[in-house]
Amino acid sequence: MSAKSAKATLKSYIDPYRVDGSKRFRLKDHATDASGGLHKDTGKRMIEVNARRLQELQEKLYAQDRWSLLLIFQGMDAAGKDSAIEAVFDGINPQGCEVHSFKQPSSNELDHDFMWRHTIALPQRGRIGIFNRSYYEECLVVRVHPEILAKQKIPQELVGKHIWKERFEDITAFEKYLARNGTIVLKFFLNVSKEEQRERFLSRLDEPAKNWKFSMADISERALWDQYQDAYQDLIDSTATEHAPWHVVPADRKWFARVVIGSAIVHALEQLDLTFPVVDGDDLKEFKMVREALEKEGGPVVKKATSRVRAKKAGKT
């Protein structure tokens, strides 16, 4: 497959789910059970191909040390955020990738603005930062549970009826600031159906190995399903931009969700034209001198065959 056709293939599993603010967003227009016309086996092969490509791109991102990538994952309970992150980033060098899971804020975090704890967790240049839930919770959980807002120590005169619109404005400005400083921002909403969530909850109850994933709080939050859907509708419509797009990922089929997420990440990194740093002439001269000194210690070194070459000789390719 040519590079051009490979790029077109990736985009076919990104564009239908990408929301960039160019038109009004309606959550009900996005199916939760889409499969992009793929069979599961084909989808799994795509996941593997994306994973290998992501490994290569992540290594160049780290070596170049110019750009950074921030990935934000949001979704209802049991939408598959944890497993998607684990699957998409399987095999990625851990020194260039960091996952942050944001839970209920501590007393120290409540003594700062709502973005503070996320700001200090942003990825360094050359690295990938993953937010498993994020500052968007401040416009979701806090909106559905207004009693939480009362505990945030915000001066009362600043808590008006437009607070959510104001937070959307703050977040959009923040993400534009990140983009202007070399951080690529990609946001993923794992769009799971209420019925699929029910089945996954039952699976957690039925399988002892999954019992730990279940919480009674999940059921109380499920009862607020419609309020959360309304909150996501408003949030995505208000914060989707060209420089920080949302991807409304069909999440009923976990394997297809991973196809969409992996394709979006690979495509975004490929747009950066990442390369390994070029060694200048002076360094090459020094390298030559070092090589000569090392070879004098014990003669030339015979290169060992790579695993691919060894496998070929053994007739295993």
Side-chain angles (χ1 to χ4, degrees), residues 74-132:
Q74 293 287 158
M76 298 293 287
D77 294 319
K81 297 182 296 299
D82 294 355
S83 59
I85 293 169
E86 182 180 3
V88 172
F89 289 91
D90 183 33
I92 295 298
N93 188 338
Q95 72 175 345
C97 185
E98 195 167 42
V99 180
H100 294 275
S101 295
F102 294 98
K103 307 296 184 182
Q104 183 176 339
S106 66
S107 57
N108 179 49
E109 290 167 341
L110 288 173
D111 275 333
H112 295 82
D113 62 272
F114 79 92
M115 296 287 288
W116 177 77
R117 63 175 179 157
H118 309 281
T119 303
I120 61 175
L122 289 171
Q124 300 174 14
R125 297 193 188 279
R127 289 161 171 77
I128 298 173
I130 301 169
F131 285 3
N132 187 347

Side-chain angles (χ1 to χ4, degrees), residues 234-262:
D234 193 19
L235 181 152
I236 294 172
D237 188 47
S238 300
T239 62
T241 61
E242 181 65 31
H243 57 265
W246 277 100
H247 298 79
V248 181
V249 181
D252 284 2
R253 293 181 172 91
K254 288 187 175 183
W255 62 268
F256 186 65
R258 295 164 189 176
V259 169
V260 175
I261 294 167

Side-chain angles (χ1 to χ4, degrees), residues 77 81-83 86 101 103 132 200-218 254:
D77 294 319
K81 297 182 296 299
D82 294 355
S83 59
E86 182 180 3
S101 295
K103 307 296 184 182
N132 187 347
R200 292 180 186 179
F201 280 169
L202 288 171
S203 176
R204 291 179 179 183
L205 291 169
D206 292 341
E207 298 180 37
K210 293 183 178 181
N211 286 171
W212 65 274
K213 291 184 176 183
F214 187 80
S215 167
M216 290 305 296
D218 295 341
K254 288 187 175 183

Side-chain angles (χ1 to χ4, degrees), residues 175-192:
E175 291 175 344
K176 190 170 187 178
Y177 165 80
L178 292 179
R180 285 174 169 171
N181 283 274
T183 297
I184 306 302
V185 182
L186 298 180
K187 302 175 292 193
F188 300 96
F189 168 55
L190 275 67
N191 187 23
V192 70

